[in-house]
Amino acid sequence: MKKIAVLTSGGDSPGMNAAIRAVVRKAIYHDIEVYGVYQGYLGLINDNIEKLELGSVGDMIQRGGTFLYSARCPEFKEKEVRAKAIENLEKRGIEGLVVIGGDGSYRGAQRLSEEAKNLKTIGVPGTIDNDINGTDFTIGFDTALNTIIESVDKIRDTASSHERTFIIEVMGRDAGDLALWSGLAAGAETILIPEVKADIEEIAEKIQQGMDRGKKHSIIVCAEGVMTGNQCGEELKKYINIDTRVSCLGHIQRGGTPTGMDRVLASRLGGYAVELLMQGESAKAVGIQQNELTCTHFDGIFQSEHNIDNKMYELAHQLSI
Ligand code: F6P
């Protein structure tokens, strides 16, 4: 393999730059030319592709976001659109493509590997949601988790001063990992996640029992996949008359300097993606499972639903009495 390309796609996540850096440096170390595709699949279609050098990724490991830019590109579902992307890669002699993103981005990569004559693709899990099969952690999850924890800690100060119940809405799309992990780490009284059906009446009773015992404030972490924070507040009002406030953390969760865990994860996964391309592997996603680097065929990634750690959910429940 002499030439490869790298792109970031879907929602950005802290650590994507560290992953790009790892791909670029690992490839150049092995005398492979690397091309950066700007704006994800959109750039692939529009031929927004440039050669990257060692210096292109200097001063990058610590930066949030992605210097290659990212985009959502629904038109990539069309075969004719993908043909244009393949043409742009082929005319440069690019034989390998590393796609850093979520499972929607992996689907595009899988199609490309099926439709291009001579293109191998490897996916690298980059999303704050931690919702991709085949890996214990995705790049950006740890940073977003820490951003949420810091925010909840601050909100708890004011919740306590005013003896209020706060509902904090966190991202995660259809997955509850961010809510569960942050709720456990920040000592939330209630955690609402899409994987477990919520009983608002029961939650209201729990808040009431807490107040009866002298508890002055309460924190509810609500995953966006369950309902919005405002909806949760409205629902609660049906069962209990308390002073509540809602805080939707929003895109602050997607930004910031990646944590050490995310930088290391991104570096390991980016480097491994290049190794796999050199070995002739394709249509696979890299991951980390029990601290070992692993790779899984895209079909295996799409086959099953994403699950949360039920034991952790139970524990969080037990600790929040
Ligand atoms: O997938 C990452 C994510 O941040 C989700 O948690 C969230 O639902 C979504 O992206 C928001 O997307 P956008 O930035 O396009 O509004």
Side-chain angles (χ1 to χ4, degrees):
M1 182 145 315
K2 289 273 164 273
K3 290 182 185 182
I4 66 167
V6 56
L7 63 80
T8 48
S9 163
D12 65 344
S13 68
M16 277 185 163
N17 279 325
I20 302 165
R21 172 183 178 272
V23 170
V24 172
R25 297 243 164 130
K26 175 84 175 169
I28 294 177
Y29 179 86
H30 291 288
D31 292 322
I32 298 170
E33 275 184 24
V34 196
Y35 290 79
V37 182
Y38 291 84
Q39 296 175 305
Y41 287 120
L42 209 59
L44 212 49
I45 303 164
N46 297 333
D47 207 19
N48 195 358
I49 303 172
E50 271 172 25
K51 191 158 177 258
L52 299 176
E53 308 293 347
L54 284 178
S56 316
V57 290
D59 190 21
M60 213 38 94
I61 196 166
Q62 78 284 11
R63 293 200 196 169
T66 160
F67 82 94
L68 287 179
Y69 303 97
S70 190
R72 304 206 190 267
C73 184
E75 58 267 47
F76 210 69
K77 290 192 182 121
E78 311 298 326
K79 194 168 179 187
E80 316 80 72
V81 172
R82 291 196 297 271
K84 185 76 199 140
I86 292 170
E87 194 186 309
N88 289 332
L89 290 169
E90 280 177 351
K91 75 180 181 198
R92 290 182 175 82
I94 294 168
E95 305 153 289
L97 175 67
V98 177
V99 171
I100 306 169
D103 57 359
S105 311
Y106 286 2
R107 284 180 200 277
Q110 186 179 34
R111 293 276 170 276
L112 287 178
S113 59
E114 286 162 1
E115 291 161 11
K117 266 188 248 107
N118 188 25
L119 180 73
K120 302 197 184 315
T121 62
I122 296 291
V124 174
T127 165
I128 61 164
D129 299 337
N130 208 40
D131 59 348
I132 305 181
N133 288 326
T135 189
D136 293 343
F137 297 106
T138 58
I139 298 164
F141 173 68
D142 187 61
T143 308
L145 171 64
N146 280 288
T147 302
I148 299 171
I149 294 169
E150 205 186 318
S151 307
V152 176
D153 288 350
K154 286 181 177 163
I155 289 171
R156 194 183 278 284
D157 289 345
T158 175
S160 160
S161 306
H162 288 266
E163 303 179 34
R164 281 172 174 158
T165 291
F166 262 85
I167 299 156
I168 301 165
E169 180 191 320
V170 302
M171 281 188 172
R173 203 178 286 275
D174 300 320
D177 292 51
L178 276 174
L180 174 56
W181 283 64
S182 63
L184 178 60
E189 278 69 23
T190 301
I191 302 171
L192 297 174
I193 56 173
E195 293 85 352
V196 180
K197 201 174 165 2
D199 184 336
I200 302 288
E201 191 173 0
E202 209 175 90
I203 293 167
E205 267 169 30
K206 188 177 167 190
I207 293 172
Q208 188 60 58
Q209 281 163 8
M211 283 163 57
D212 295 345
R213 282 200 330 261
K215 218 171 170 43
K216 301 279 190 217
H217 72 273
S218 190
I219 299 283
I220 299 174
V221 174
C222 176
E224 64 175 354
V226 177
M227 59 184 130
T228 67
N230 283 323
Q231 284 166 339
C232 181
E234 291 304 315
E235 287 296 312
L236 258 186
K237 266 191 208 147
K238 293 181 189 165
Y239 303 100
I240 188 168
N241 182 22
I242 42 167
D243 192 15
T244 57
R245 290 292 185 276
V246 175
S247 187
C248 174
L249 298 187
H251 284 78
I252 195 168
Q253 297 162 95
R254 284 244 294 267
T257 299
T259 59
M261 292 300 279
D262 271 331
R263 295 184 203 193
V264 171
L265 179 65
S267 303
R268 290 178 76 189
L269 294 181
Y272 189 44
V274 175
E275 255 174 46
L276 289 179
L277 285 177
M278 287 165 63
Q279 289 164 18
E281 296 284 1
S282 185
K284 289 186 173 172
V286 294
I288 192 143
Q289 295 182 52
Q290 293 172 350
N291 204 26
E292 293 289 332
L293 292 169
T294 57
C295 67
T296 311
H297 196 277
F298 285 142
D299 286 335
I301 305 265
F302 305 143
Q303 244 162 31
S304 51
E305 296 268 293
H306 168 73
N307 289 316
I308 50 130
D309 184 332
N310 287 317
K311 285 216 169 111
M312 197 191 288
Y313 179 79
E314 254 171 59
L315 178 70
H317 185 69
Q318 290 162 0
L319 300 187
S320 67
I321 45 171

